[in-house]
Amino acid sequence: MTDLSLSGPVPEVAEDGVWLACIECGETYAPFEEPTYECDACGSLLEVRYDEYHDFDSVAGEGVWRYAPALPVDDGVTIEEGNTPLYEAPSIEAAVDVADLRIKHEGMNPTGSFKDRGMTVGVRVAERIGVGRLACASTGNTSAALSAYGARANKETLVLLPEGNVAAGKLAQASLHGATMLEVEGNFDDCLDIVSELADRGEVYLLNSLNPFRLEGQKTIGLEIIEQFRDQTGSLPDRIVLPVGNAGNTAALHKAFRELVAAGAIEEAEVPTLTGVQAAGAAPMVEAIENGWDSVTRWEDVETRATAIRIGEPVNAPKAIPAIRQTGGTAVAVEDEEITAAQRELAQDGIGVEPASAASVAGLRKLREAGEITADEQVVCLTTGHLLKDPDAAAEAGNDPTTVPNDVDAVLDAAGD
Ligand SMILES: *Cc1c(COP(=O)(O)O)cnc(C)c1O
Ligand SMILES: [Zn+2]
């Protein structure tokens, strides 16, 4: 039985009031002694636990580190991540017909995706444990973030990428920040199998979202949403709609809200409904939710233009499935055409996102049309990465330029009146 209750005595292995606990069997582990990603006893996922849960009063630094008292280390390897905008999106709000719509734009992080929030914590923990080489499998953004934070920490980084399926902006970032980049003749899930094996052999420190410390950093997305939404509207959002790849954010947001409940900062009934969106060509989580399964079945063949969520086996499913169920949420699949249409709609409100991010808005539209989301709801859509991450997708979704002679009248002519 998955236990996400956060209660129980502080175990002997705790250090600074922090430990790791298995979400299935409850086994506990020392947090900073050696790399630990999964439960030795039963193989399930680990979660960071604390002797004390904090509400918003415990302000420390800025951005992610504003929430330092709720994080496993006091400070991070930082490039000033977090504190991203919560935008209004008036035309989408009207077109989709919900009471309130805000866009939490995680593309506004230093490397252009929410992955930075996990890395500022994860790379600091890597330093504390004293590991050598950092590594990840990545559809692109994890590698961009890890290369930047690894560089900042002066650590060697190795990134494994699915050959031919990483967007140009992300490749450029990993390349310039100096990661060792290996393109594997396989998909993301194959890359993760390999890097997990390397981590098991002690060759690398794994910074995929299987790493429970990364999710602690990503938790701050949920904390910021609660604070910003309350500041802007005076209430809390009913629902958060987010794209799902490895389902790390789904798990991390749920943990943020469980901890706020444990700290007495919000009521259980106020926890927003978590609603996951996948691309139709890579939707194992939607399949699991729709069928009432407790685990996902790996999809061997995945395909979507939204390469950031082109994932066949979401590793955080054991956390994310309860997150969706316990908050009364659901999961929905959208076609690539719907994703592109949503990317254009966001652009019309001045918000530039990569395709995977637009999946959240496409999912909102679909569930609203189906009546599963109602007109009285206050909704936040999470947009996970910046438009410039995938310039090819943006150019394809947008207008083509017209070539004109080097002449004022010709320009005016072509521009129209
Ligand atoms: C990593 C990523 C996702 C997937 O997030 P998960 O937490 O793995 O579900 C979605 N969108 C973008 C842009 C990403 O980089
Ligand atoms: Zn266990």
Side-chain angles (χ1 to χ4, degrees):
M1 192 37 209
T2 309
D3 180 14
L4 300 173
S5 62
L6 300 178
S7 58
V10 178
E12 249 172 50
V13 293
E15 212 177 310
D16 304 341
V18 177
W19 67 97
L20 296 169
C22 172
I23 64 164
E24 284 303 326
C25 75
E27 184 67 36
T28 56
Y29 298 88
F32 309 122
E33 254 167 41
E34 56 183 359
T36 316
Y37 314 103
E38 284 169 310
C39 179
D40 281 344
C42 79
S44 192
L45 299 176
L46 302 178
E47 190 167 74
V48 179
R49 300 268 167 94
Y50 300 86
D51 59 351
E52 200 185 338
Y53 292 96
H54 295 267
D55 64 17
F56 299 116
D57 296 333
S58 34
V59 175
E62 305 210 342
V64 165
W65 297 100
R66 180 175 148 68
Y67 305 101
L71 298 174
V73 281
D74 295 336
D75 58 11
V77 172
T78 182
I79 324 176
E80 301 192 22
E81 49 292 316
N83 193 22
T84 56
L86 184 70
Y87 294 127
E88 293 184 17
S91 44
I92 305 180
E93 181 182 282
V96 172
D97 184 24
V98 286
D100 208 317
L101 175 64
R102 311 274 149 153
I103 306 294
K104 178 66 171 165
H105 193 13
E106 285 296 298
M108 302 299 280
N109 274 294
T111 78
S113 86
F114 71 83
K115 301 297 196 304
D116 297 347
R117 291 182 190 263
M119 291 305 172
T120 184
V121 177
V123 174
R124 169 62 92 234
V125 171
E127 287 182 328
R128 178 146 177 194
I129 297 174
V131 298
R133 183 163 43 179
L134 312 178
C136 68
S138 178
T139 60
N141 282 331
T142 303
S143 70
L146 179 60
S147 343
Y149 284 82
R152 195 87 186 158
N154 234 330
K155 288 221 176 267
E156 195 186 329
T157 57
L158 170 69
V159 305
L160 266 55
L161 306 162
E163 188 192 25
N165 277 298
V166 179
K170 307 173 188 182
L171 279 177
Q173 288 177 292
S175 156
L176 187 62
H177 287 300
T180 300
M181 302 161 71
L182 301 178
E183 293 197 314
V184 176
E185 294 167 341
N187 59 28
F188 167 83
D189 303 281
D190 300 321
C191 294
L192 187 59
D193 288 346
I194 293 174
V195 81
S196 300
E197 170 74 27
L198 291 177
D200 284 346
R201 292 192 197 175
E203 296 286 344
V204 299
Y205 183 68
L206 182 71
L207 277 158
N208 281 96
S209 56
L210 193 60
N211 184 319
F213 294 109
R214 244 193 62 187
L215 298 189
E216 291 305 290
Q218 291 171 216
K219 210 169 71 174
T220 59
I221 300 172
L223 303 179
E224 282 181 17
I225 288 176
I226 295 287
E227 281 200 295
Q228 291 172 312
F229 200 91
R230 196 155 54 191
D231 283 353
Q232 292 180 16
T233 72
S235 59
L236 298 185
D238 298 306
R239 185 185 295 270
I240 297 175
V241 186
L242 73 164
V244 173
N246 270 311
N249 275 334
T250 315
L253 289 174
H254 189 221
K255 187 155 193 280
F257 302 141
R258 282 153 50 215
E259 292 186 355
L260 287 177
V261 171
I266 63 171
E267 301 289 325
E268 179 94 54
E270 291 179 312
V271 170
T273 296
L274 290 171
T275 300
V277 187
Q278 293 192 301
M285 179 70 87
V286 176
E287 179 182 54
I289 293 290
E290 280 179 353
N291 290 298
W293 299 343
D294 287 331
S295 60
V296 292
T297 300
R298 178 163 171 158
W299 287 25
E300 291 301 336
D301 296 306
V302 284
E303 200 43 82
T304 169
R305 188 178 298 161
T307 50
I309 51 172
R310 190 172 176 277
I311 290 169
E313 188 178 17
V315 293
N316 286 296
K319 293 176 176 174
I321 291 174
I324 289 173
R325 292 220 177 103
Q326 288 174 19
T327 61
T330 186
V332 67
V334 292
E335 300 297 333
D336 277 6
E337 297 68 42
E338 297 173 292
I339 289 175
T340 302
Q343 197 185 12
R344 288 196 191 103
E345 279 190 291
L346 281 158
Q348 288 305 310
D349 270 337
I351 303 168
V353 307
E354 68 166 287
S357 305
S360 60
V361 170
L364 165 65
R365 181 177 272 286
K366 195 159 198 169
L367 290 170
R368 180 67 193 91
E369 278 164 9
E372 282 199 52
I373 294 178
T374 51
D376 60 351
E377 285 193 40
Q378 297 186 293
V379 181
V380 172
C381 282
L382 188 67
T383 56
T384 39
H386 198 276
L387 177 153
L388 293 172
K389 288 286 193 172
D390 193 342
D392 299 321
E396 230 172 273
N399 301 328
D400 289 328
T402 310
T403 305
V404 292
N406 181 3
D407 175 84
V408 174
D409 290 324
V411 166
L412 193 57
D413 218 31
D417 314 328

